[in-house]
Amino acid sequence: QKEVEQDPGPLSVPEGAIVSLNCTYSNSAFQYFMWYRQYSRKGPELLMYTYSSGNKEDGRFTAQVDKSSKYISLFIRDSQPSDSATYLCATVGADKLIFGTGTRLQVFP
Amino acid sequence: GAGVSQSPSNKVTEKGKDVELRCDPISGHTALYWYRQRLGQGLEFLIYFQGNSAPDKSGLPSDRFSAERTGESVSTLTIQRTQQEDSAVYLCASSPHFSRHYEQYFGPGTRLTVT
């Protein structure tokens, strides 16, 4: 079993939709959870990180962690074509990041 | 301010040749990481430098891979006797402090193609 699992998609939504991106993880000891956005042929860009359970909001983005079910989510409100990218979830394990494989999101006008 | 920079952006090399990839971290960042991203796969940790301490090399896939960092500045990742399976994007990231692994900032990567 991979330590972090993520549906690769692709996920295709119309502009203005609410997008839900999800990951599961295996180790209950993980405490920090991150979401990165990666445009084609670019490096990953840190969107936000959360600690333990709960929600964190930044503009149109909300990250949610449910430690009881080992489930992390990223919600994008009012999605825009410029949000089209691959979204990577990650956690910290043994002093390094452990990534999911990424979900490709396409927002069409 | 300036972000993480990497060079070259693209590198094509013949099987068996050595290659050297360079990373310039964000100024003042004490932690530096190298990752590999193969097509359609997630990022794979390679090595981690924390200030002047011994690096964590636990992710290096073979002894053909090595990396150096001088103090808290530039790092180079060297792959000797390249193989076709080494073809990937090599990403470098830096973090303000070794305790903040959750806050890593990535460079644009070096796309390595081994023919």
Side-chain angles (χ1 to χ4, degrees):
Chain A
Q1 181 190 8
K2 289 184 179 178
E3 291 182 284
V4 179
E5 302 261 16
Q6 188 173 10
D7 188 329
L11 183 61
S12 185
V13 301
E15 183 175 357
I18 297 174
V19 176
S20 173
L21 302 164
N22 308 292
C23 291
T24 58
Y25 61 94
S26 60
N27 190 335
S28 57
F30 293 150
Q31 295 280 22
Y32 285 93
F33 304 93
M34 287 71 67
W35 283 97
Y36 283 83
R37 177 174 63 193
Q38 187 173 25
Y39 291 113
S40 181
R41 293 186 170 262
K42 301 288 186 183
E45 171 193 0
L46 179 63
L47 287 175
M48 54 204 309
Y49 60 85
T50 55
Y51 175 74
S52 195
S53 280
N55 293 0
K56 186 173 183 179
E57 189 174 318
D58 185 359
R60 295 184 296 111
F61 298 88
T62 300
Q64 191 173 81
V65 177
D66 181 348
K67 293 204 78 183
S68 63
S69 58
K70 300 194 190 74
Y71 200 81
I72 57 178
S73 302
L74 179 71
F75 299 96
I76 307 174
R77 290 184 298 281
D78 188 24
S79 56
Q80 303 295 309
S82 58
D83 295 328
S84 299
T86 296
Y87 289 80
L88 301 157
C89 61
T91 187
V92 180
D95 295 344
K96 54 183 171 279
L97 294 186
I98 303 167
F99 282 88
T101 52
T103 299
R104 195 154 61 92
L105 172 67
Q106 179 73 38
V107 182
F108 56 90
Chain B
V4 177
S5 61
Q6 292 185 245
S7 62
S9 54
N10 285 284
K11 177 72 177 178
V12 180
T13 190
E14 291 180 354
K15 178 181 171 182
K17 295 283 177 90
D18 298 352
V19 294
E20 194 172 276
L21 313 179
R22 176 187 169 108
C23 172
D24 282 88
I26 294 171
S27 178
H29 280 197
T30 58
L32 186 148
Y33 312 76
W34 283 97
Y35 294 86
R36 177 169 70 178
Q37 187 174 32
R38 288 173 161 155
L39 189 65
Q41 298 186 23
L43 277 76
E44 174 190 0
F45 167 78
L46 296 177
I47 188 169
Y48 154 55
F49 293 91
Q50 169 194 323
N52 293 316
S53 301
D56 175 354
K57 304 179 182 180
S58 60
L60 294 179
S62 77
D63 59 7
R64 297 186 296 104
F65 288 72
S66 63
E68 291 184 349
R69 186 184 188 195
T70 306
E72 295 181 356
S73 60
V74 170
S75 175
T76 55
L77 176 69
T78 301
I79 308 172
Q80 296 179 308
R81 305 181 302 282
T82 52
Q83 304 294 311
Q84 287 187 327
E85 64 262 27
D86 298 334
S87 296
V89 177
Y90 289 82
L91 291 155
C92 173
S94 70
S95 174
H97 191 266
F98 67 87
S99 65
R100 297 170 70 171
H101 302 294
Y102 52 85
E103 191 182 350
Q104 293 185 28
Y105 299 93
F106 282 82
T110 293
R111 184 173 298 272
L112 175 66
T113 303
V114 182
T115 61

